[in-house]
Amino acid sequence: MKVMKRLFEVDNWKIIESELHKDEFRLAESMMSIGNGHMGMRGNFEEMYSGDFHRGSYIAGVWFPDKTRVGWWKNGYPQYFGKVINSINYLGIRVLVDGEEVDLFKDEVKEYSRELDMQHGVLERKFTVVKDEKETAFHVVRFLSVAESQLAVIKYSAVPVNYDGEITFIPYLDGDIRNEDSNYEEDFWQEESIETGEYEAALVMKTKGNPFGAPVFTVSAAMKIEAEGDVVSVSPNQKSEYADNIITMKAEKGKASVLYKYAAVTTDRDHPKDALIAKGKAVLAEQTEKGYAALLEEHKAGWLKRWEMADVEIEGDAEAQQGIRFNLFQLFSTYYGEDARLNIGPKGFTGEKYGGATYWDTEAYALPLYLSTAKPAIARNLTVYRHNQLEGAYHNARQQGLKGALYPMVTFTGVECHNEWEITFEEIHRNGAIAYAIYNYVNYTGDKAYLHEYGLEVLTGISRFWADRVHYHAKKAVYMMHGVTGPNEYDNNVNNNWYTNVMAQWTLNYTMKTVQYLKENGHADKIDELGITSEEIEKWQDIAANMYLPYDEEQQVFVQHDTFLDKELMPADELKPEDRPINQNWSWDKILRSCFIKQADVLQGMYFLNDQFTEEEKRRNFEFYEPMTVHESSLSPCVHSILAAELGMEEKAYEMYNRTARLDLDNYNNDTEDGLHITSMTGSWLSIVQGFAGMRTFNETLSFAPFIPKAWKSYTFKIVYRDHLITVKAEGTNVHLSQEGPELSLKLYGEDAVLPENGKLSAAINSAVVQ
């Protein structure tokens, strides 16, 4: 079972660390990560820390094709593993007290505290260092601006407590950086140019060339320094891939010596590569003219505006409140939709695991949140992103000798770049999530123009892939898919994974429905352009009508895959505590032979296609599969929470909410030191909005069926739904809906209701009686 690792105090708006956790330093680093969509970093220290840590600063869209090294090769195998790469360290500030360097790992540290203020997007530390009986009090404030996304700001203050002497600050830029997950300490960067001067420096690095046709990126970090105090000397220095300023200040007892470090990070994704330093200097000149205080206030205002739209308020449960806000903060730190070229990596800017690229998580879990909590253009960007990479999906299918489009499990460009064969070849279920996202977007927004502009082209490619990937079993007169892996990766290379088959069937049906809609609405030319023939439609109809979906009559459940019921079935509660998590304690062979489920397969399909199954079907399958689920995928708990809420299993829904909301805060899966689980963080929002509040939008009809968990007094959230901004508040025995927008017909507890123009309506919890 779960081993709690709660390093941080429970607070509604902050992550508070009240002692220096040297034994859990990487975990704390992950938790204190910040970002602004353009760039982000782990919670590394500015000054020296000689203990174990994982230095990480990352820039959105900057990656490297690291060559895949395997002892065997299969046709169609990706040539490289695409990964987000650690970039220029623009954070660093070495600090010396009377010539001796401060090292928070070796030195005596008193009165240590670190706070991540999620409401305002500010990371702050206070601590006192004792060296040779000299005590120095430090106060460090850091933020990555959301007002100017290329700007990082640090205010570093040192106050001698019991002595007079000298404080030396050495702010630096370091391009000699490695990824922890690189092969054999491979260096991905080379220096392009470097400039230094008093109170300033700039460094330009370029990724090394590659034989795969992948982009080469040029990145610049320029810094500008301001000092408050009695400056004795300033000495700029440089060496290969490194530049700094040595700034020495007289330090009087009780008087602060303050260094302001402003860094502008620019890339050739946005500017000509030969203009990067000039652009960085221009950003610094313009922004520093405003002064530190004004920059901080602009940044805070930007975060407050985000929270105004997206905040979820929970009364009566501080742990739950902290969990949902932490997750929303880290999601919006990673992606807020300003750049349509970007997507949401599973670790965001907090680590290198999984390569940091785009996964199916975006369509399956992240899109619903961005549909409801941000401007419609942001969700549209997420769906257009996949259309823009359609040629890569066709390439992936050709690599497997198949027709149509196979979207990648891991990508930066649309071309598959994962380095595990069972995922590259077999986890083709991701195609279903891409197709479902198109339905989800159009159904939610009403933007049917998307179908002829982008949607049908993607749906057609995916449907052609499914039609070629299935095979016909003549004796049983059904279509099957062998050699696949479903979302539950604890079953590899299986036949007829129910989720994969049912999503293929659904995609074919939805594609045909879209074709018919476009025919009837003046877009037959799009159908002709794509070469969709009546013969092809007939083939799709035959496959969809005769898709094999494993089912067990005795248990009356859908079977996860053909041989799942041949296993020894037992609940996860019978596992010994020392076996959990099994992915860290068992061999892979033992896991594959067990019945234990990493994440939902059958239940994932029932979550997506919720309106197509009866309550009794959902209940039987939930009660059969959930006991065997170990939830060792971060994507698992929210699906179970939502279905449990729908089925009236309120305690289970609340348990699973806490697991998804505090997955990283309490390190449930003992892996947060590698980085946060960014894409699964949407699960806490989904568990509240789709789970506890019962929000659904099937068939273009908005509906709610709220209840309040026993531990809570109330909860409130807002959603953007078409041209409505709706506030939902469940409090006491009532639910209250209010809106800004025109009159809206919806369903409340299954009954028709009307939310008046710019008005309100209320009902008793679990009642359709409208007040």
Side-chain angles (χ1 to χ4, degrees):
M1 299 301 289
K2 177 178 79 75
V3 177
M4 178 82 70
K5 284 189 180 179
R6 182 171 293 178
L7 308 184
F8 316 98
E9 298 176 22
V10 174
D11 183 275
N12 285 344
W13 276 110
K14 293 182 177 180
I15 308 300
I16 301 171
E17 184 185 29
S18 56
E19 62 177 286
L20 180 55
H21 292 97
K22 296 180 181 179
D23 293 337
E24 297 285 356
F25 195 78
R26 290 188 178 222
L27 175 58
E29 277 183 322
S30 293
M31 297 300 304
M32 296 296 177
S33 297
I34 59 174
N36 65 5
H38 170 66
M39 58 187 178
M41 62 175 66
R42 290 172 58 81
N44 305 129
F45 290 169
E46 285 83 356
E47 66 285 325
M48 169 69 76
Y49 184 82
S50 60
D52 178 61
F53 71 104
H54 179 188
R55 202 213 70 77
S57 296
Y58 309 96
I59 303 169
V62 174
W63 61 283
F64 190 82
D66 200 12
K67 182 172 177 59
T68 297
R69 290 185 170 96
V70 291
W72 41 261
W73 202 263
K74 288 182 170 64
N75 288 336
Y77 199 85
Q79 294 180 303
Y80 60 82
F81 181 41
K83 57 180 61 174
V84 164
I85 51 173
N86 235 319
S87 68
I88 298 172
N89 178 7
Y90 54 89
L91 172 69
I93 304 173
R94 295 172 56 202
V95 183
L96 287 72
V97 174
D98 283 341
E100 293 190 29
E101 184 155 12
V102 171
D103 180 341
L104 267 62
F105 181 71
K106 294 179 179 178
D107 292 339
E108 179 185 349
V109 179
K110 303 194 309 183
E111 300 167 341
Y112 175 90
S113 70
R114 176 163 53 169
E115 294 184 357
L116 176 58
D117 178 351
M118 300 179 289
Q119 188 173 26
H120 300 111
V122 176
L123 182 61
E124 185 172 6
R125 285 186 300 141
K126 295 179 180 178
F127 54 93
T128 298
V129 172
V130 183
K131 295 180 77 68
D132 296 330
E133 300 184 352
K134 297 175 184 176
E135 296 189 13
T136 311
F138 294 93
H139 183 194
V140 188
V141 179
R142 179 198 314 173
F143 62 92
L144 300 182
S145 175
V146 296
E148 168 48 78
S149 63
Q150 298 170 114
L151 182 69
V153 179
I154 303 165
K155 179 183 179 181
Y156 203 110
S157 174
V159 179
V161 175
N162 60 356
Y163 69 95
D164 296 330
E166 285 187 340
I167 300 289
T168 300
F169 295 111
I170 309 177
Y172 63 87
L173 304 171
D174 184 7
D176 186 17
I177 300 299
R178 303 289 190 279
N179 265 46
E180 283 209 338
D181 65 349
S182 61
N183 289 314
Y184 315 123
E185 292 293 307
E186 184 177 358
D187 186 358
F188 301 137
W189 295 99
Q190 59 189 26
E191 181 187 310
E192 279 285 282
S193 62
I194 190 167
E195 294 182 9
T196 54
E198 289 191 359
Y199 297 107
E200 65 179 9
L203 176 62
V204 181
M205 302 293 294
K206 183 173 76 172
T207 56
K208 293 183 175 180
N210 64 82
F212 309 113
V216 171
F217 296 97
T218 306
V219 173
S220 171
M223 72 175 180
K224 182 177 179 180
I225 307 301
E226 295 175 353
E228 288 180 0
D230 190 352
V231 177
V232 175
S233 63
V234 180
S235 173
N237 302 277
Q238 68 181 63
K239 59 181 180 180
S240 176
E241 301 184 338
Y242 177 90
D244 70 25
N245 267 223
I246 300 175
I247 302 170
T248 300
M249 306 171 73
K250 282 187 178 179
E252 298 179 18
K253 178 181 176 181
K255 184 178 178 180
S257 297
V258 183
L259 185 89
Y260 297 91
K261 180 178 183 180
Y262 303 95
V265 179
T266 54
T267 80
D268 64 350
R269 296 181 68 253
D270 306 305
H271 312 288
K273 67 179 182 180
D274 57 357
L276 292 182
I277 289 181
K279 178 60 181 177
K281 288 183 174 180
V283 168
L284 292 174
E286 178 184 354
Q287 296 299 314
T288 56
E289 181 70 21
K290 301 174 184 178
Y292 170 81
L295 292 174
L296 179 59
E297 288 308 308
E298 281 184 355
H299 170 72
K300 287 182 175 180
W303 269 106
L304 290 174
K305 187 175 182 180
R306 294 179 177 191
W307 286 116
E308 185 179 341
M309 177 78 76
D311 189 26
V312 178
E313 298 179 64
I314 298 170
E315 185 182 3
D317 189 341
E319 292 183 12
Q321 179 68 86
Q322 184 184 42
I324 181 64
R325 283 181 173 152
F326 178 70
N327 292 344
L328 289 171
F329 171 78
Q330 292 294 350
L331 279 162
F332 292 155
S333 296
T334 302
Y335 180 87
Y336 204 64
E338 296 93 341
D339 189 338
R341 298 168 297 175
L342 299 176
N343 208 278
I344 309 166
K347 291 294 182 185
F349 299 122
T350 73
E352 297 155 21
K353 193 174 179 181
Y354 306 125
T358 306
Y359 278 57
W360 72 295
D361 308 17
T362 293
E363 285 74 23
Y365 297 90
L367 179 64
L369 180 145
Y370 286 92
L371 277 169
S372 294
T373 61
K375 297 176 182 178
I378 293 175
R380 203 175 207 264
N381 283 347
L382 286 173
T383 53
V384 171
Y385 177 91
R386 292 294 192 175
H387 177 271
N388 293 343
Q389 296 187 349
L390 182 57
E391 180 50 43
Y394 274 97
H395 165 84
N396 299 332
R398 288 194 298 270
Q399 290 291 97
Q400 310 308 322
L402 294 166
K403 299 174 184 176
L406 173 59
Y407 275 91
M409 193 64 170
V410 176
T411 194
F412 291 91
T413 64
V415 173
E416 178 66 69
C417 62
H418 200 285
N419 61 350
E420 295 180 28
W421 72 270
E422 66 270 21
I423 290 175
T424 300
F425 286 104
E426 296 184 347
E427 225 171 310
I428 57 176
H429 68 81
R430 68 252 192 181
N431 255 9
I434 309 302
Y436 187 79
I438 295 171
Y439 162 78
N440 205 4
Y441 170 77
V442 173
N443 176 65
Y444 191 93
T445 64
D447 180 12
K448 292 183 178 173
Y450 185 86
L451 292 174
H452 65 83
E453 292 174 6
Y454 301 105
L456 182 61
E457 198 171 349
V458 173
L459 291 170
T460 300
I462 293 173
S463 292
R464 286 171 172 163
F465 174 83
W466 289 134
D468 202 30
R469 182 59 171 80
V470 300
H471 69 271
Y472 186 66
H473 190 301
K475 187 174 181 180
K476 294 184 178 180
V478 294
Y479 290 90
M480 294 182 168
M481 274 193 277
H482 286 186
V484 301
T485 298
N488 172 35
E489 294 169 336
Y490 289 177
D491 272 319
N492 287 167
N493 195 25
V494 300
N495 295 337
N496 295 311
N497 172 257
W498 182 87
Y499 172 77
T500 304
N501 286 16
V502 81
M503 291 307 297
Q505 178 192 58
W506 177 89
T507 301
L508 292 167
N509 283 325
Y510 181 56
T511 304
M512 291 186 286
K513 183 178 178 181
T514 300
V515 168
Q516 187 63 33
Y517 169 80
L518 293 180
K519 275 185 181 177
E520 294 170 356
N521 288 272
H523 294 290
D525 57 330
K526 188 68 179 179
I527 298 164
D528 293 339
E529 177 189 327
L530 294 173
I532 301 172
T533 64
S534 57
E535 291 79 12
E536 187 169 34
I537 292 288
E538 289 175 7
K539 181 65 173 178
W540 292 350
Q541 287 174 331
D542 187 46
I543 295 170
N546 296 288
M547 181 68 76
Y548 174 58
L549 301 175
Y551 184 79
D552 183 70
E553 293 289 348
E554 181 181 349
Q555 302 279 356
Q556 290 190 298
V557 296
F558 299 108
V559 182
Q560 188 157 277
H561 60 81
D562 276 353
T563 60
F564 182 79
L565 295 183
D566 296 340
K567 298 187 177 192
E568 180 183 1
L569 305 183
M570 58 186 291
D573 286 349
E574 293 186 15
L575 287 166
K576 298 175 182 178
E578 56 267 28
D579 287 333
R580 307 288 290 269
I582 62 173
N583 63 12
Q584 296 175 22
N585 292 289
W586 284 9
S587 71
W588 192 240
D589 171 73
K590 186 174 181 178
I591 289 172
L592 293 177
R593 289 186 287 105
S594 79
C595 69
F596 299 117
I597 299 169
K598 182 182 182 184
Q599 72 182 79
D601 261 12
V602 171
L603 301 184
Q604 181 77 44
M606 290 188 152
Y607 163 66
F608 273 162
L609 311 179
N610 189 272
D611 60 331
Q612 298 186 16
F613 301 98
T614 66
E615 180 178 332
E616 188 52 40
E617 284 176 321
K618 295 171 195 173
R619 186 178 303 279
R620 283 198 303 269
N621 282 276
F622 187 95
E623 291 178 346
F624 182 76
Y625 284 109
E626 197 283 328
M628 291 183 281
T629 304
V630 290
H631 301 291
E632 289 173 11
S633 166
S634 61
L635 301 172
S636 182
C638 68
V639 170
H640 290 80
S641 180
I642 293 164
L643 291 175
E646 180 183 4
L647 295 170
M649 303 175 181
E650 296 184 8
E651 289 187 11
K652 175 60 72 173
Y654 179 69
E655 173 197 341
M656 291 292 103
Y657 165 79
N658 277 332
R659 182 160 186 138
T660 190
R662 298 192 63 87
L663 179 76
D664 288 316
L665 283 167
D666 292 339
N667 198 15
Y668 269 86
N669 288 342
N670 195 35
D671 60 0
T672 298
E673 67 274 7
D674 293 332
L676 304 175
H677 298 82
I678 297 296
T679 44
S680 70
M681 285 180 163
T682 61
S684 51
W685 185 91
L686 293 170
S687 296
I688 293 172
V689 175
Q690 296 182 355
F692 303 155
M695 188 183 91
R696 301 287 186 272
T697 54
F698 293 112
N699 302 312
E700 300 189 59
T701 301
L702 183 64
S703 63
F704 294 97
F707 74 90
I708 304 175
K710 291 183 175 61
W712 299 4
K713 294 180 180 178
S714 70
Y715 60 93
T716 307
F717 62 87
K718 295 179 181 178
I719 63 163
V720 178
Y721 178 71
R722 302 193 176 188
D723 50 356
H724 309 270
L725 176 59
I726 301 171
T727 301
V728 178
K729 182 168 186 176
E731 179 179 35
T733 59
N734 296 297
V735 58
H736 308 283
L737 276 66
S738 60
Q739 73 145 328
E740 298 173 19
E743 181 178 285
L744 176 64
S745 297
L746 49 78
K747 288 188 178 293
L748 193 57
Y749 297 109
E751 299 295 330
D752 292 335
V754 175
L755 184 55
E757 179 180 0
N758 297 321
K760 303 177 180 179
L761 71 85
S762 299
I765 296 285
N766 295 320
S767 168
V769 179
V770 177
Q771 303 170 350

